Amino acid sequence: MKLPIYMDYQATTPVDPRVLDAMLPYFKGEFGNAASRSHPFGWQAEKAVDTAREEIASLIGASPKEIVFTSGSTEAINLAMKGVADMYGAKGKHIVTCESEHKAVLDTAKHLEKEGFEVTYLAPDITGRVTAEAVAEALREDTILVALMWANNEVGTLNPVREIGALCRERGVLFFTDATQAVGKIPVDVEADNIDMLCLSAHKIYGPKGVGCLYVRRRKPRVRLVAQMDGGGHERGMRSGTLNVPGIAGLGKACAICEEELTEEMEREIRLRDLLEEKVTSRLDHVHFNGNREHRLPGCLNLSFPYVEGESLLMGISDVAVSSGSACTSASLEPSHVLRAMAVGDELAHSSIRFGIGRNTTEEEIEHCANQVVEVVKRLRELSPLYEMVLEGIDLSTVNWAGGH
Ligand SMILES: *Cc1c(COP(=O)(O)O)cnc(C)c1O
C-alpha cells in the first residue's frame, strides 16, 4: 500500500491508464485539427471526436448530436444558464436553484441576478435533498429555468431529478442538472430522467482535466442557447474554439469504461464505503453522518466528529488525502456552504470530513484510513474539555459559557 492514500475522488480522479492510452495518438502522429476538412490529419481527428461523442451519448442515453464539448463542467454550467437566460430572457426572468449547489452554479446565478434576473435559492432539507414539491412551490409564470444538481459533491446526496424533470416538463420550464458527480457513478438516462440540459466533466470520471461537455436536448423540447463564446461556430454554433481532440478522446474512453463497469463498480464502492463507516463508528461514539442514507452516491461518505477541531483532525490523519467542511482548508472563512444550507450546525460543519471512495480504493486502504481516523479522534478528544463535559453527561446546549445571567 502506497501512502498517502488518495480519498478525495470528489475533487478529482487520476487518469485511468486505458484513458491515457486512448489519448496518446492524438498528441503524436494524429495531431490534426478536427475542423480541417481537406486532409487525413483532420479526418482522423474528426473521427476521434465523433467516436467520443457516441461514447458519451451512450452513457447518458442521448444522441451524439446533443453533445457540446467544453473545457469542463464550470464552462458547461455557464453556457447552460447564461445561454438560456439570454435566449429566453424576454419570456421570463425567474430562475430556480438551490443553496447547496456547486459554486459554479451559484456564482453564475449571482451574475444573472446582476443582469436583472430573479433567482430563488431553495434550501435543501437536512439530508441535502430538494424535493419536487419544493420546486413546484417555487415555480412561477415567469420561471424559465430550474438548475439543480444530480449528486452533491460534498455529501453525495442525490436529488429526485426524474420527478423534478417531469414537473418542469409539465410546466414548460427548462431543466438543467449539474451531473458532474453522478455521471459514470450511477445510472443516468436523459430520456427517462426528463433532462433538458446536463453537464459532465472528464476529470471526475478518470479522464483528463480541462474537458467536459454540455448535453443540450434537440427535440421535445428543442433547447436553444445563445453562445457565450464567439468564434468559428464550432459545436453547432454553441461553443466556438478548436476542439481539444486528445482530451475529448480521453473523455469518450472514460465514459465507455464507466458504462462497461458501472454496476460492478457501484457495488464495490458501496461495500467499501459502508465498511469504512462501520469501522469508524464501531470504535468511536458521537460520530455524525452528513447526507441522505437512502439517496446517495456509492463512493462518498461525509462524517462529522464533534468535539474535535477540523483542522487538527485533517493534520492528524496525514496518511489520508481527504477534504473537510471546515473553514480552514479553503480560501473562504465560512464553513462549507453545503453543510450550512443543510443546517447541520457550525460545530458539526467544522469537524466534518468527506471520504471519497473510487476506482483505485482497496480494502487495505479503508482499514488503514479507519485506524488512523479512530486513533486521531480519540487522541484529540482526550484533550477536549468539551468532550469531557459530554462524557460527564452535561448538555452543552444548556451551558452558559459567558458566565453571565
Ligand atoms: C467538480 C465539479 C464542478 C466543476 O467541474 P470542472 O470541470 O472542474 O469545472 C461542478 N459541479 C460539481 C458538482 C463538481 O463536482
Side-chain angles (χ1 to χ4, degrees), residues 53-318:
R53 245 186 249 287
E54 279 165 22
E55 289 167 322
I56 299 160
S58 170
L59 178 62
I60 64 171
S63 136
K65 283 184 185 154
E66 297 174 308
I67 304 300
V68 175
F69 288 111
T70 65
S71 62
S73 277
T74 300
E75 187 193 337
I77 290 164
N78 273 264
L79 173 57
M81 296 178 69
K82 292 176 184 172
V84 162
D86 291 347
M87 182 61 79
Y88 301 94
K91 205 180 122 195
K93 293 236 178 273
H94 183 236
I95 294 167
V96 176
T97 185
C98 175
E99 290 168 352
S100 50
E101 291 288 312
H102 192 273
K103 287 287 180 188
V105 169
L106 294 176
D107 288 350
T108 303
K110 271 185 221 139
H111 175 100
L112 291 171
E113 279 185 292
K114 283 199 199 109
E115 291 196 341
F117 287 86
E118 252 186 89
V119 180
T120 298
Y121 297 91
L122 296 170
D125 66 20
I126 194 155
T127 76
R129 205 164 137 94
V130 178
T131 61
E133 293 76 54
V135 178
E137 270 177 45
L139 291 182
R140 311 192 316 209
E141 273 306 303
D142 61 342
T143 308
I144 54 168
L145 175 68
V146 169
L148 291 168
M149 71 202 321
W150 199 314
N152 185 275
N153 48 302
E154 288 192 26
V155 292
T157 300
L158 306 179
N159 276 326
V161 284
R162 187 172 293 195
E163 287 154 59
I164 294 169
L167 168 75
C168 291
R169 186 76 38 91
E170 189 189 301
R171 302 283 286 268
V173 177
L174 292 177
F175 176 43
F176 163 62
T177 186
D178 172 357
T180 314
Q181 295 288 345
V183 167
K185 315 287 168 64
I186 57 169
V188 166
D189 181 337
V190 292
E191 289 306 326
D193 294 317
N194 306 311
I195 288 156
D196 297 322
M197 288 173 290
L198 167 154
C199 69
L200 61 94
S201 179
H203 78 99
K204 303 289 176 82
I205 55 173
Y206 310 91
K209 292 167 182 62
V211 60
C213 71
L214 181 67
Y215 155 79
V216 185
R217 177 172 285 282
R218 267 165 67 93
R219 44 192 295 276
K220 296 185 178 176
R222 181 183 185 90
V223 178
R224 293 161 69 219
L225 295 178
V226 172
Q228 301 297 307
M229 183 80 78
D230 297 311
H234 307 71
E235 298 300 274
R236 295 190 289 128
M238 284 193 250
R239 202 280 197 171
S240 287
T242 301
L243 291 178
N244 170 4
V245 178
I248 288 168
L251 171 56
K253 184 67 181 177
C255 287
I257 295 169
C258 284
E259 184 170 359
E260 165 108 18
E261 300 178 352
L262 189 76
T263 313
E264 205 183 318
E265 184 60 14
M266 273 176 69
E267 284 168 11
R268 204 185 69 87
E269 289 182 16
I270 287 171
R271 195 179 59 77
L272 291 177
R273 178 198 69 195
D274 292 346
L275 181 67
L276 177 60
E277 184 179 1
E278 199 273 323
K279 289 209 172 283
V280 169
T281 55
S282 62
R283 288 144 72 199
L284 287 175
D285 52 16
H286 296 94
V287 177
H288 183 90
F289 171 86
N290 299 308
N292 188 301
R293 290 219 172 263
E294 209 181 327
H295 308 284
R296 57 168 159 160
L297 278 178
C300 186
L301 178 66
N302 191 310
L303 299 175
S304 287
F305 302 89
Y307 324 117
V308 163
E309 207 203 342
E311 203 184 8
S312 315
L313 178 53
L314 267 192
M315 304 231 289
I317 54 173
S318 55

